[in-house]
Amino acid sequence: MDSRGVLTEAFGRITELYDGVSEGLDDETLHHRPGGTGNPVAWLLWHLARVQDDHIAHLADAPQVWEEWQERFGLPNGTDDIGYGHSSEQVDAIRITDLDLLVAYHHEVTLATARYLETVDDHELEREVDQNWDPPVTAGQRLVSIIGDCLQHLGQAAYVKGLRQG
């Protein structure tokens, strides 16, 4: 399997895990904050989708999927807000009233990711995409970072779900 195939497989597994974590969630479980301050499943799933959307859009030099979906959620979070650095109040403000909508949004992000991955070759993986680091970050490194971040947040969401559902 080549690099593109490995990346496609990894992002496909993220989608499978996302769908699995989102199954069987009621509103109480979706918005439960462990210890009163931990991140709830709703925020974790929203944040994961927003980070993937934002970072893939940047790599692909394309608009974020969120631009077309934001109004459907009734959230004030523009394309510059992916949840990074949210205060406790901002976490609370992410109220997902339609879980199917959130899952559908992530599926659209997955499709955007797949479209970008179709363009990926060795040259693209080596392209420098962020000069703010020493050494600069390449597209390949950014993709690995996105995968790691998504998997970490899915694990957190599964843990919080398990705390509520036993």
Side-chain angles (χ1 to χ4, degrees):
M1 188 180 298
D2 65 358
S3 302
R4 183 185 310 159
V6 169
L7 292 166
T8 300
E9 177 72 18
F11 280 103
R13 289 186 186 202
I14 288 167
T15 300
E16 289 173 17
L17 292 167
Y18 193 101
D19 291 350
V21 168
S22 65
E23 286 180 12
L25 290 170
D26 58 29
D27 190 64
E28 187 176 324
T29 302
L30 193 59
H31 295 98
H32 171 72
R33 296 189 72 182
T37 59
N39 292 328
V41 174
W43 186 89
L44 290 163
L45 293 177
W46 172 83
H47 171 65
L48 177 160
R50 290 294 300 120
V51 168
Q52 184 177 340
D53 187 8
D54 173 76
H55 289 21
I56 293 295
H58 177 258
L59 289 173
D61 194 26
Q64 291 182 33
V65 174
W66 188 245
E67 290 180 20
E68 296 180 17
W69 285 72
Q70 176 185 356
E71 282 187 32
R72 298 180 204 180
F73 284 90
L75 297 172
N77 311 78
T79 57
D80 60 332
D81 185 355
I82 61 173
Y84 182 76
H86 267 189
S87 68
S88 185
E89 292 78 21
Q90 289 171 306
V91 170
D92 276 337
I94 303 297
R95 301 298 296 181
I96 303 300
T97 58
D98 184 347
L99 184 57
D100 291 337
L101 182 66
L102 183 60
V103 171
Y105 166 60
H106 186 257
H107 281 211
E108 256 333 284
V109 171
T110 298
L111 291 173
T113 302
R115 285 190 297 273
Y116 167 69
L117 291 176
E118 284 295 316
T119 71
V120 170
D121 57 17
D122 290 342
H123 178 72
E124 172 63 6
L125 292 174
E126 293 301 319
R127 179 175 62 97
E128 292 181 356
V129 297
D130 190 344
Q131 301 289 326
N132 294 320
W133 299 91
D134 187 19
V137 176
T138 65
Q141 290 167 324
R142 180 60 45 84
L143 286 166
V144 169
S145 176
I146 297 167
I147 292 166
D149 191 64
C150 288
L151 292 173
Q152 180 179 20
H153 287 91
L154 283 167
Q156 292 167 345
Y159 178 76
V160 173
K161 178 182 179 180
L163 287 174
R164 295 293 303 165
Q165 294 182 340

